[in-house]
Amino acid sequence: MDKQTFTPGAQDTAEADAKDAFFEQVAAISEQMIAGYGRDFAMGVLLLAARYIAQNRPAEAEPPQIVTQP
């Protein structure tokens, strides 16, 4: 079988660069949360964010109620 190579176009490269910028922002925020409140807090925040996204609510919807332990 012939080996196929993929050469991204300019649009694909621009999109990849834009996505990389978001990953860098998430990494920086994660590091700040870890430094301030620990790994468990940072993971909890990111899991809640993923849950919020997965619920597929419109942007105008009220954010979910978050119950924390005292």
Side-chain angles (χ1 to χ4, degrees):
M1 246 205 288
D2 289 336
K3 194 179 204 182
Q4 294 182 358
T5 57
F6 175 73
T7 305
Q11 185 175 10
D12 295 331
T13 303
E15 183 177 340
D17 290 344
K19 288 179 180 180
D20 285 346
F22 280 115
F23 278 116
E24 290 174 11
Q25 290 176 9
V26 170
I29 291 170
S30 297
E31 289 174 4
Q32 291 172 1
M33 289 188 294
I34 291 168
Y37 301 102
R39 291 186 185 279
D40 289 341
F41 173 78
M43 285 188 290
V45 168
L46 295 171
L47 286 171
L48 285 173
R51 181 177 170 195
Y52 180 75
I53 293 167
Q55 289 177 345
N56 200 22
R57 294 183 180 174
E60 299 82 33
E62 280 192 40
Q65 292 285 41
I66 299 173
V67 178
T68 59
Q69 299 292 329

